[in-house]
Amino acid sequence: MDRIAMLKTFVVVANEGSFTRAADRLNTSNQLISKYVAQLEKHLDVRLFNRTTRKIHLTEAGQQCLLHANNILESVNDMEGQLGLLNTQAKGVLHVSAPVSFSTLHLSSALAAFQHAHPSVSVNLQLNDRKVDVVDEGLDVAIRAGYLANSALVAKKITTLNLALCAAPAYLEKYGTPSHPSELNPEHYLEYSYVNYDSDGSELMKALKTNAQKVTPKLIANNGEVLTNVAIHGDGYVLQPTFITGDALRRGELLSILEDYVPQAISLYAVYPHRKLVSNKLRVFIDFLCAYFEDTPYWDKPLNEPIQKR
């Protein structure tokens, strides 16, 4: 029996939660739906559904099968697209993981523009600052910032991310402006939970790491916007990318300090599984993001009122 047909039938039954609704969706009979599911269970030697008189529920094996079936059917669609059957228009669901602050501040507008240009592509966006496993979590692409470890994944640079060490004018008036990282007050450090101190050998990163090990930072948070807002209120200093701090710097709510010691710029990447065949929807999505943000993103381009420095 056609395994692809069995998988398609299984996925529809799982999504509809009913053999009858699946039959209506596929315009076929209940008997044929049941036959396909039974054949798939026999082939895999597992029970995919627990059945009652009213409802059906996926078993644990069924949940795993659904994940793999979706990936298999997606790969079939990708293959057809590469062979020219679907290459006239990018379409389908794109599963994307991206950092929280970057998405709320900048990616949301890019997604709106992307979907206007490609209305047949739907985006399932998951926001998370932790490092996700693209393959295990069934993602098409993950947007990641920073330094990437060697892996079997493909990484395409989207744009450059500059960093800034910032403090409010009131804070600097009260405690003075440091001229060297060793002069930073350890008790006033606003630390980002996912900071990788070992990714850069600069004096600033070494000082921040040493201070954080000696004294508990004033605030530790897994969100850069929260840390930046606390810094604006004069309660400490923060190291964050300019896509978060840029507006506050331009308004003078924060001032850039120790610029000669700030780590070199990092990059924003699109990370996806290493495949010879890349779906049209993923290809156009990555190309769109690269064109939208450019190597020098709009938040770092000069405006009438430049970023204030001290």
Side-chain angles (χ1 to χ4, degrees):
M1 185 173 290
D2 185 351
R3 294 180 187 178
I4 297 300
M6 288 192 293
L7 289 176
K8 288 181 178 179
T9 301
F10 163 70
V11 169
V12 174
V13 173
N15 290 337
E16 295 293 334
S18 164
F19 281 76
T20 301
R21 288 197 295 270
D24 292 339
R25 174 87 176 271
L26 295 173
N27 194 27
T28 188
S29 66
N30 278 2
Q31 291 80 4
L32 187 58
I33 295 293
S34 297
K35 179 180 178 181
Y36 270 37
V37 172
Q39 287 288 341
L40 184 58
E41 289 181 324
K42 181 179 179 181
H43 176 73
L44 298 174
D45 194 26
V46 294
R47 178 176 289 276
L48 299 173
F49 295 103
N50 287 320
R51 301 165 176 82
T52 65
T53 55
R54 292 187 176 182
K55 293 183 179 180
I56 62 171
H57 301 278
L58 284 169
T59 63
E60 182 178 355
Q63 292 173 349
Q64 290 294 319
C65 183
L66 181 61
L67 176 63
H68 289 295
N70 282 326
N71 288 335
I72 291 169
L73 295 176
E74 182 76 10
S75 295
V76 170
N77 288 335
D78 291 346
M79 178 190 68
E80 292 174 344
Q82 291 293 328
L83 293 176
L85 298 178
L86 296 174
N87 65 358
T88 56
Q89 184 181 46
K91 58 183 177 180
V93 181
L94 197 63
H95 298 271
V96 181
S97 173
V100 177
S101 293
F102 180 77
S103 298
T104 56
L105 295 173
H106 305 287
L107 186 59
S108 54
S109 58
L111 287 178
F114 171 76
Q115 293 193 295
H116 180 75
H118 301 279
S120 296
V121 178
S122 299
V123 177
N124 184 329
L125 178 64
Q126 303 296 321
L127 302 187
N128 207 314
D129 284 337
R130 67 175 175 83
K131 183 179 179 181
V132 299
D133 191 307
V134 178
V135 177
D136 284 353
E137 299 189 28
L139 299 167
D140 291 297
V141 61
I143 309 301
R144 291 183 185 168
Y147 303 92
L148 301 180
N150 292 330
S151 72
L153 301 176
V154 179
K156 168 72 172 178
K157 181 181 176 182
I158 296 174
T159 190
T160 300
L161 301 180
N162 288 298
L163 301 174
L165 185 68
C166 309
Y171 174 88
L172 298 175
E173 289 291 336
K174 183 175 182 180
Y175 297 103
T177 301
S179 59
H180 189 272
S182 61
E183 298 176 10
L184 290 169
N185 191 325
E187 290 85 358
H188 299 166
Y189 179 34
L190 307 174
E191 183 183 46
Y192 179 57
S193 301
Y194 298 121
V195 64
N196 183 359
Y197 292 111
D198 298 323
S199 63
D200 184 277
S202 66
E203 289 187 75
L204 176 61
M205 294 302 285
K206 291 177 182 177
L208 293 177
K209 180 180 180 179
T210 300
N211 289 347
Q213 290 174 339
K214 290 193 304 185
V215 179
T216 301
K218 185 179 184 68
L219 174 65
I220 302 173
N222 64 352
N223 183 272
E225 291 175 87
V226 171
L227 296 168
T228 298
N229 287 333
V230 172
I232 289 173
H233 285 86
D235 289 333
Y237 55 90
V238 66
L239 177 67
Q240 283 293 304
T242 54
F243 71 76
I244 294 178
T245 61
D247 285 346
L249 288 166
R250 287 193 175 90
R251 291 192 298 263
E253 296 172 334
L254 290 175
L255 300 176
S256 178
I257 59 175
L258 296 180
E259 292 186 340
D260 292 338
Y261 299 95
V262 170
Q264 62 183 355
I266 59 178
S267 296
L268 186 73
Y269 295 96
V271 180
Y272 55 96
H274 181 45
R275 300 173 180 168
K276 291 183 179 179
L277 298 179
V278 178
S279 64
N280 286 333
K281 64 185 179 183
L282 179 56
R283 176 178 52 78
V284 299
F285 180 69
I286 294 174
D287 289 346
F288 184 91
L289 292 185
C290 292
Y292 186 89
F293 292 112
E294 303 180 317
D295 190 57
T296 301
Y298 57 82
W299 57 81
D300 279 340
K301 291 183 178 178
L303 298 177
N304 293 333
E305 183 178 355
I307 291 177
Q308 297 188 45
K309 301 178 182 180
R310 180 165 180 160

